[in-house]
Amino acid sequence: MAVQPDIKNFTEQTLAHWLEQRDIKPYRATQILKWIYHRKVYCFSEMTDISKQRRQWFSQELRISRLKPVEVQSSSDGSKKFLFRLKDGQCIESVLIPERGHSTLCVSSQVGCAMGCKFCLTGRGGMVRDLEPAEIVNQVCAAQDDLSDPDRLTNIVFMGMGEPLANYNGVVQAIDNITNDRALQFANRRVTLSTVGLAPKINDLGRDTKVNLAVSLNAADNKTRDTLMPINRTYPIETLLSACRKFPLPSRRMITFEYVLIAGLNDKPEDAQRLAKILRPLRAKINLIPFNSFEGSPFARPDEATILAFQKVLIDRHYTTIIRQSKGSDIGAACGQLRAKSCSVDGLIKSPN
Ligand code: SAH
Ligand code: SF4
């Protein structure tokens, strides 16, 4: 028998269309989404406002997937890393970060990443495959299941494994379910997508969604950015910032520019001055991320004084500039440390039941 389509790979609209083609009223899509995402019912037979016969038909035609973590690691700072094994045996990670009464989930969009940024462990491992929309949405559902109060999960950031704009369709479909009121109901302003800088896709994202944009800039001149991020040869800084300028921003929203600070490479006051200058035409705020090291990396994090001096240059030029002390570094959950290496060890991981 052919594998049934996974209902979590549909959006409300595509499901309605799929049902209509089978002579079923499209409002059933809304009804089913609410059962799954609001009431957390994962079995068609329990959807009691649908006739028994119809429920049976749904069970035959569609499946409702879930992800259960095969491992959960807790950090001393309160963050948690979930390791998931996917149906083909590949593994991904998400990180849950508690912050004053609410939580943020950092989700993965691909297994591995093709972008090859020199400072990133995920990039080092190369690309394996895109995640399906269901595999992205299920990371959110699993984190909600883990929390005693699922409403405390308020923010989603696409900053885990992978380059979200390289898996454009999968990610945009997942965002639809994450932000749809009939599905996961996250406010658009509480969802942030971080990209390496695929300029044409930034335009598409602005057209197709209303989520926040974060851009991993990491250098203020092309020479330095070329050496750190191969994608800069295709979309150099001017092209990238021009796409950012066109990105539609609701009032009071800004684009976040992420800047991994690496000792001796991009951390001088002149770099900060140049950064301030090139971001001037934009509504920009800046997240400085001191480099998180991993085994075999040739880079180091700058000392505290250098980091603070860099921040001061930007603050003096009126940029909101946060130093993001990555959470979870003791469990390999900090920015750039995700690789899901434990899944490559056959037999050590218990199957989800
Ligand atoms: N591919 C996307 C999202 C995942 S990476 C992107 O590149 O934006 C999420 C963030 O982690 C990026 O801003 C990236 O610059 C940062 N990062 C990667 N490796 C890092 C490391 N070793 N230390 C600190 N930050 C890192
Ligand atoms: Fe991929 Fe982002 Fe890592 Fe670059 S920083 S290799 S784009 S995950």
Side-chain angles (χ1 to χ4, degrees), residues 29-95:
T30 312
Q31 214 174 1
I32 292 173
L33 251 56
K34 283 183 173 173
W35 275 110
I36 295 173
Y37 292 110
H38 293 187
R39 295 192 235 179
K40 309 282 178 207
V41 164
Y42 298 112
C43 192
F44 289 107
S45 63
E46 291 169 34
M47 301 184 180
T48 45
D49 53 3
I50 303 172
S51 76
K52 241 190 181 148
Q53 201 189 0
R54 184 62 82 211
R55 279 183 252 165
Q56 237 164 24
W57 181 87
F58 276 117
S59 316
Q60 278 159 17
E61 298 297 320
L62 291 162
R63 70 197 166 89
I64 309 172
S65 68
R66 286 179 84 175
L67 274 183
K68 285 192 191 167
V70 286
E71 195 181 303
V72 182
Q73 277 178 283
S74 296
S75 160
S76 53
D77 62 26
S79 58
K80 269 186 183 179
K81 183 166 81 168
F82 300 95
L83 177 72
F84 300 104
R85 186 157 56 185
L86 308 175
K87 53 185 188 280
D88 58 356
Q90 294 296 337
C91 286
I92 51 161
E93 294 174 329
S94 338
V95 184

Side-chain angles (χ1 to χ4, degrees), residues 119-120 158-160 162-164 194-196 216 218 258 260 289-292 294 335-336:
F119 48 81
C120 173
F158 283 82
M159 293 185 188
E163 166 49 39
S194 172
T195 176
V196 71
S216 298
N218 301 330
E258 295 155 291
V260 179
I289 319 173
F291 173 70
N292 292 309
F294 49 86
C335 295

Side-chain angles (χ1 to χ4, degrees), residues 112-117 119-124 160-163 195-196 216 218 229 336:
C113 183
M115 297 297 143
C117 303
F119 48 81
C120 173
L121 185 60
T122 310
R124 281 217 166 179
M161 295 164 69
E163 166 49 39
T195 176
V196 71
S216 298
N218 301 330
M229 307 173 75

